[in-house]
Amino acid sequence: MNSGSKMGWRGILGFEYGIVQAPLGPDISAPHLVAAVAKAGALGLLRAPDWESPDYLRGLIKTTRTLTDKPFGVGVVLAFPFEENLKVILEEKVAVLQISWGDCTRELVNKAHAAGVKVVPQVGNIEGAKQAIEAGVDGIIVQGLEAGGHVLGQDGLITLVPRVVDLVGDREIPVIAAGGIVDSRGYVAALALGAQGVCLGTRFLATEESNAHSTYKRKLVELDETAYTDVFGRARWPGAPHRVLQTPFYKEWRSLPAHENETNQPVIGHSTINGVDKDIRRFAGTVPNMTTTGDLESMVMFAGEGVGLIKEILPAGEVVKQLVEGAQLIIQQNLK
């Protein structure tokens, strides 16, 4: 494995490998997935609840620490209330605070740094990257339009990553590419664009340890097409377009009129999410987790454009191993 370190592409942010497991909402990247990723030498990210739940979040962090002594991080969506959750993240001194969907301010970064926590925002455009650099962040995840789930920007990864890399210049801020990357070919392509790491969501969703419902995982293997839409979760999270699997339900309702949303829709199932029992209404933006019951086939299933490359459910550690070994092989054989 030593050849990798000589190439300078392996580690980022103090982690063995330049591989990040995206924080999968609302609770899909739970302790078992994050711990498995951490054990494999990559950066696993828990997802903070979308409401203030500091005690529950502390429990998630502590549970993850019983499963691994390796470092990991927590992702926070700034579009939802987060101050109490943030306090816990900093008190617990996790390795990395990942943030998205909000302003990455110098104040927030300083607060995290004072607690010894690194800050890595996810951005979807050049403006977001500029703001992040000015705030003094430790790394930047650049999300392309190819990504699954809620998508920040309008640009494809192949053009956005080099622009952010140029903007960062010689600063010690690793750029991490996200969106449609599921295997070692995508990893090496991102490195060729100037990124130092990759962030994968859909590939880690389709793992044995992820908290996604088995039906959702099966659909990730069975279906190949995604769509960029706004039909799910309009009331809960307005102005947040998303990429979803093109399920039969989605195809039937893709033209949902703009004035419609989930609030007046029938309840189609139930989930326990971060310790709270929730009704799942039709068009809710909540994917099925392991506790979900009801009409799973009619629930949203987020996925990135790389889903067509996912042929099986793997252990998370195996995903990391295949990414690293495959990338080394490509570099040795093709890019000497």
Side-chain angles (χ1 to χ4, degrees), residues 298-309:
S298 298
M299 294 179 191
V300 65
M301 296 185 186
F302 297 130
E305 284 186 352
V307 73
L309 292 164

Side-chain angles (χ1 to χ4, degrees), residues 108-334:
L108 180 61
V109 173
N110 287 350
K111 203 189 282 189
H113 284 173
V117 176
K118 291 175 177 164
V119 181
V120 180
Q122 177 169 280
V123 306
N125 53 40
I126 288 294
E127 289 67 37
K130 280 179 184 159
Q131 185 190 47
I133 292 166
E134 283 162 17
V137 300
D138 301 281
I140 300 173
I141 297 171
V142 177
Q143 185 197 46
L145 189 62
E146 302 90 338
H150 296 88
V151 184
L152 288 152
Q154 293 289 328
D155 294 313
L157 207 56
I158 205 161
T159 52
L160 189 56
V161 168
R163 290 181 70 198
V164 176
V165 167
D166 290 349
L167 198 63
V168 168
D170 57 6
R171 297 177 183 89
E172 295 281 311
I173 303 174
V175 173
I176 301 155
I181 300 169
V182 296
D183 63 17
S184 55
R185 294 171 294 184
Y187 187 4
V188 175
L191 298 175
L193 296 172
Q196 282 178 260
V198 286
C199 178
L200 290 75
T202 313
R203 177 63 273 187
F204 283 113
L205 178 63
T207 56
E208 290 174 7
E209 296 89 348
S210 105
N211 197 37
H213 194 282
S214 57
T215 299
Y216 184 9
K217 293 183 189 182
R218 192 177 75 244
K219 293 288 181 192
L220 294 168
V221 173
E222 285 175 5
L223 301 177
D224 292 336
E225 298 299 319
T226 65
Y228 177 77
T229 182
D230 79 331
V231 303
F232 295 100
R234 285 174 178 168
R236 177 177 152 273
W237 194 351
H242 33 270
R243 185 171 297 284
V244 302
L245 270 182
Q246 287 204 33
T247 58
F249 176 86
Y250 169 75
K251 287 178 178 174
E252 186 183 344
W253 294 97
R254 66 174 67 187
S255 303
L256 187 70
H259 64 274
E260 294 279 358
N261 63 46
E262 68 272 29
T263 48
N264 60 352
Q265 296 292 323
V267 173
I268 60 169
H270 300 273
S271 292
T272 303
I273 300 168
N274 291 316
V276 180
D277 292 332
K278 299 263 187 189
D279 288 341
I280 306 298
R281 293 184 181 275
R282 190 167 60 177
F283 308 125
T286 310
V287 297
N289 67 18
M290 281 187 183
T291 72
T292 306
T293 56
D295 182 8
L296 297 159
E297 307 264 339
S298 298
M299 294 179 191
V300 65
M301 296 185 186
F302 297 130
E305 284 186 352
V307 73
L309 292 164
I310 293 174
K311 304 298 180 195
E312 60 183 329
I313 306 302
L314 294 169
E318 186 61 29
V319 169
V320 175
K321 186 169 179 275
Q322 287 183 12
L323 282 165
V324 173
E325 291 179 358
Q328 288 177 336
L329 201 61
I330 292 168
I331 289 167
Q332 285 158 11
Q333 291 182 348
N334 304 335

